Structure formats: structure tokens, C-alpha cells
Amino acid sequence: MSRAKSPLADNTQAILRHWREAVPNDRLAHLVKDATRALLRALQMRLSAHSVSLGHWTFLRVLWEKDGLTQKELSERAGVMEPTTFSALKAMERFGAVTRSRMPGNRKKIFIYLTPKGRLLKAKLVPLAEEVNEIAIRSVKAADIAITRQTLLSIIENLARDEIETTVKEHRIPSTREWAERGVAIAKGKRGRAKKRA
Amino acid sequence: MSRAKSPLADNTQAILRHWREAVPNDRLAHLVKDATRALLRALQMRLSAHSVSLGHWTFLRVLWEKDGLTQKELSERAGVMEPTTFSALKAMERFGAVTRSRMPGNRKKIFIYLTPKGRLLKAKLVPLAEEVNEIAIRSVKAADIAITRQTLLSIIENLARDEIETTVKEHRIPSTREWAERGVAIAKGKRGRAKKRA
DNA sequence: ACTAAATTCTTAGAGAGCTAAGATGTTTGC
DNA sequence: GCAAACATCTTAGCTCTCTAAGAATTTAGT
């Protein structure tokens, strides 16, 4: 829909110049952020031709793998907070890609199912994402991609660990149970179930 | 101010689990996005103790290097669009970190200067960013960081090039001048000046 | 010199994300 | 068996970012 024109391209040019000129030491965050923007932008441009937004894509991708999940589960798998999930799914329901329904036996949980329309989008949309990926890593050695992947993973992990430690320190012992959950979660990669019983 | 507590940490755990479990092929974008979130979140948590938001940080960093720039220039250096710059600077002016003023000779351009308050923040804030960076890349080999940096740069570059080519194709020859600018810009990394004269 | 084009700032409105807190249900512990 | 604790969905409201379009001012072409 709103395909980018010159101002955007110019802006991207500015970013590129910027990075080619000076890449000092603390700027990793900035660089990662710009890469994210470039990737999301490329994807968004392609998705918009099918009236799908980035927010929808995030959940569609999860749902194509497995639907019939609750909003909570979807939030976890998509890696976003629940209110984000809530409004995205409301919009997707309006759009006709999913249904939200309660099941007999539990009137609180809401299960999300793809509609035929939502399911059909997969064949159209996945190739677009693959195209973006192909373009993005064109000319980059597979080994370098692997290293990048691992580095990013380490960054996420390091920061997550630090956040937990910092939070614990600030809380001054935030209940043994809470601490245990966290320790377990990071040490063994246990499922969220740890949360519900300790 | 709003220091993260358990829900957040849990969420980060979910993300980590997610990445440890399955890292298929197309998910680079997703991984980069999550790394961005982790980095920005860590920075934001620290900045908020000084009542500085991420949006302000973005511009402060540019201004500490050189102030007296126009909003347009600031947008380019910060890598965001002008309306974003506009509202961030308005807020920063209200906060007392910068002044926005016209100069005799040109009543259109607005020049941004740091106030003493804005200047003083540097000594407090820069160490926080360095701390985040140190934590993030802790345990990652310097060589791997270098490769990651280069890979991300290539990704940005590849996508920018593609966006330009795609846009050109769609426009069906979008005026020779425009095309030239873009070609030149990407080929030689020329300054934005190309824009104003071709 | 004066209109037309280009720049720059501004306004308006939307998307995607977050936190905090409210509502509504379900479980658990006495 | 019921009150308290917990879980899940929802609402409200904020941030950062973008695009599109309007307003003001400067530059350029004839």
C-alpha cells in the first residue's frame, strides 16, 4: 500500500553512510536496531500488498505451525506481552483470519483458530519472508550468518541474565519461589510451567 | 522508573527458550528484532533512573558530538524521519535539555542546541550505555562481534539496495535525476548534497 | 522581479509495542 | 465449601516510529 518513495530511500542512504563512516565501540545496539528496521521494513512492504501488517504476520507465523492456542500461549510464542496479542488478534478476527472462541469447560481461556482465509495466506506470505531473507543475506557467507546468529543469541542471553540478577538485587530477595523459578528457567530452559507451582 | 519485574523477566525467558529450541532458517529477522528489544530494554531501564527516555537518548548522543544542527540534519544523523525528530525535540525542550531557535538570516530552519542540563547528562548517561554494551557482549569473542557487525551492515546494505531497485522498477523510470541520485548515493556513499542539485 | 519549485518544519493519524490496573474466572488451602 | 490466591483476558494510556499532507519560507528559472 504505502510503498516507500525517495524520502525513505534517502533516509536509508543516510543510515548507510553513517555506518560506513564511523563505527565506534558502543554502537552495537544502534546497528542492531537499524538492521531490524531494514528487515521489518522490507517485510512490511511486501506484506502490505496482501493487506497483512507486521503485527498480523507475527501471529500468523505461530498459528500456521499450530493453532488452537490461547492468547497467553500465543503471547509467549510470539514473544510479546498480552495486551499486544489481544489487540492484534482482535484486528485479525475483524480481518477474518482467525476466530477467538471459548471452549466448554473453561470460560476464561480464549482459543484462537485460523480460518480458511488465514490458512490460505501461508502459501502467499511465506515466500515473501523467504525472499526478504534471501536478499538480506545475499553475499554473506553462511559461516558468518551462523556466527551472527550465535552472537545475537548470546546478547539476548547475557542481557536476560543480567536483568534477572539486577531485579533480584533490587528486590532484596523477591521471595524464594520467584527466585527459584527464574534460576530454573535460565539454567534449564524449563517451560513456563515452572511459574504455576514451583 | 518502571523497572521490570517478574512478568518481563519471564517473557524474556520465553524468548530465550524459543530461540534455544528451534532456530530454523528464515528466522533471522525475528532474532535480530529480539536482540534489539533486549538491548533497548536494558538501556531504557538504566536511562529511566535519570528520567531520560530512549527517544531522548537517540538525539542526545548525536548532539553531544555536535549541536547547533537543524532538525533535518538531526533526523539524518539519528536515522529517523522528521516527525519523529520533531516530537522528540519538542519533548526534550520541555524537559530542558535543548533549545530550539531560529537564526537571523533564515526563518525556516530551526537550530538545536544543548542546554547546560543537556550537556551534563553526558557524563552520567554514556557510562550506562557502555555498561549495557559490556554486559551484552560479555563472553563473546571480539572476532565474532566484528563479524556480526559486518553481517548486519551487509544486511542493511543489501536491503537498501533492493528497496531502491524495487522502487525504481515500480515507478517505471522515476525521473532520471532521482535515479541518478540514488545510484550515486549507493555507489559512492556520497553525501545528501547530491539531493540538492544532482 | 516574481512565480514555480523545492525545503523544512509541523500537524494528523495510525501501528506495534509496553506497563499498570481492572474484570472475570478458576484453583487451592484451610 | 468458601475465601483467598492466582490466572487470563481486557481496558487505558503512554512511547516511538512511520506516512501523508499542510504551512511557511527559501531558491531558482524565466
Side-chain angles (χ1 to χ4, degrees):
Chain A
M1 221 159 247
S2 58
R3 194 67 163 223
K5 292 187 302 301
S6 49
L8 285 164
D10 287 344
N11 196 273
T12 312
Q13 294 315 307
I15 292 174
L16 273 179
R17 254 182 264 127
H18 182 229
W19 287 114
R20 260 196 287 259
E21 281 162 14
V23 184
N25 224 333
D26 94 297
R27 306 248 153 112
L28 227 205
H30 198 182
L31 180 54
V32 176
K33 182 177 161 192
D34 281 351
T36 298
R37 275 221 287 256
L39 286 161
L40 294 185
R41 168 181 206 77
L43 185 54
Q44 186 172 35
M45 280 173 16
R46 289 164 175 79
L47 291 178
S48 69
H50 300 270
S51 307
V52 173
S53 70
L54 275 177
H56 295 188
W57 165 261
T58 303
F59 294 99
L60 283 174
R61 207 178 41 174
V62 174
L63 289 166
W64 287 327
E65 252 187 59
K66 174 168 169 50
D67 64 350
L69 300 168
T70 65
Q71 292 189 176
K72 183 84 193 300
E73 291 167 327
L74 237 17
S75 300
E76 283 201 7
R77 299 207 187 197
V80 298
M81 295 289 109
E82 277 143 70
T84 304
T85 304
F86 174 73
S87 52
L89 289 173
K90 274 290 209 182
M92 290 167 76
E93 184 181 37
R94 250 177 273 124
F95 178 66
V98 303
T99 59
R100 304 169 64 249
S101 50
R102 276 172 234 270
M103 290 306 187
N106 191 320
R107 272 182 301 166
K108 185 165 54 168
K109 295 186 178 178
I110 292 198
F111 294 85
I112 311 296
Y113 288 93
L114 286 167
T115 60
K117 181 174 179 182
R119 219 173 284 282
L120 282 174
L121 285 170
K122 183 174 183 180
K124 290 189 179 176
L125 268 34
V126 167
L128 300 181
E130 282 168 352
E131 185 196 10
V132 169
N133 199 61
E134 186 274 309
I135 291 166
I137 64 178
R138 183 179 282 174
S139 83
V140 179
K141 279 187 296 184
D144 288 356
I145 299 290
I147 289 172
T148 299
R149 216 187 265 284
Q150 182 50 54
T151 300
L152 293 175
L153 203 43
S154 298
I155 288 172
I156 293 173
E157 208 155 336
N158 286 336
L159 291 171
R161 191 182 350 264
D162 180 74
E163 181 172 336
I164 289 163
E165 282 162 14
T166 308
T167 309
V168 169
K169 248 180 265 162
E170 281 184 5
H171 275 189
R172 231 70 182 137
I173 305 153
S175 98
T176 323
R177 197 177 80 262
E178 203 177 343
W179 194 87
E181 281 168 29
R182 290 167 175 182
V184 168
I186 203 151
K188 312 193 192 163
K190 278 192 83 172
R191 301 281 319 160
R193 331 244 33 274
K195 189 112 149 275
K196 319 180 171 164
R197 293 282 49 235
Chain B
M1 219 159 247
S2 61
R3 194 67 162 225
K5 292 186 302 302
S6 50
L8 285 162
D10 286 344
N11 196 271
T12 312
Q13 293 317 306
I15 292 174
L16 271 180
R17 255 181 264 126
H18 182 229
W19 286 115
R20 260 196 289 260
E21 280 163 15
V23 183
N25 223 334
D26 94 298
R27 308 249 153 110
L28 228 205
H30 197 179
L31 180 55
V32 176
K33 182 176 163 194
D34 282 351
T36 298
R37 275 223 286 256
L39 285 161
L40 294 185
R41 167 179 206 80
L43 185 54
Q44 185 172 35
M45 280 173 16
R46 288 162 176 80
L47 292 177
S48 70
H50 301 270
S51 308
V52 173
S53 71
L54 274 178
H56 295 188
W57 165 262
T58 304
F59 295 99
L60 283 174
R61 208 179 40 175
V62 174
L63 289 166
W64 288 328
E65 250 187 61
K66 173 169 170 51
D67 65 349
L69 299 168
T70 65
Q71 293 189 175
K72 182 83 193 301
E73 292 168 324
L74 237 17
S75 299
E76 283 201 4
R77 300 207 186 198
V80 297
M81 297 287 110
E82 277 141 71
T84 304
T85 305
F86 174 73
S87 51
L89 289 173
K90 275 289 209 182
M92 289 167 77
E93 183 181 37
R94 251 177 273 124
F95 178 66
V98 303
T99 60
R100 305 169 63 250
S101 49
R102 275 171 235 269
M103 291 305 188
N106 192 321
R107 270 183 304 166
K108 187 167 50 168
K109 296 185 177 179
I110 292 200
F111 294 85
I112 311 297
Y113 289 94
L114 285 167
T115 61
K117 180 175 180 182
R119 218 173 285 283
L120 282 174
L121 285 170
K122 183 174 184 180
K124 290 188 179 175
L125 269 35
V126 167
L128 299 183
E130 284 168 352
E131 185 196 10
V132 170
N133 199 60
E134 186 272 312
I135 291 167
I137 65 178
R138 184 180 284 174
S139 84
V140 179
K141 279 187 296 183
D144 288 356
I145 299 289
I147 288 172
T148 298
R149 217 186 264 284
Q150 182 49 53
T151 300
L152 293 174
L153 203 44
S154 298
I155 288 174
I156 294 173
E157 207 155 338
N158 286 337
L159 291 172
R161 188 180 357 263
D162 179 73
E163 181 171 336
I164 289 161
E165 282 162 14
T166 308
T167 309
V168 169
K169 247 180 269 164
E170 282 186 5
H171 274 191
R172 233 64 184 144
I173 304 153
S175 99
T176 322
R177 196 173 84 265
E178 204 178 343
W179 195 87
E181 280 169 27
R182 290 167 176 183
V184 168
I186 203 148
K188 313 192 192 163
K190 278 191 79 172
R191 301 280 317 160
R193 331 242 32 276
K195 189 111 150 276
K196 317 177 173 164
R197 289 282 52 236

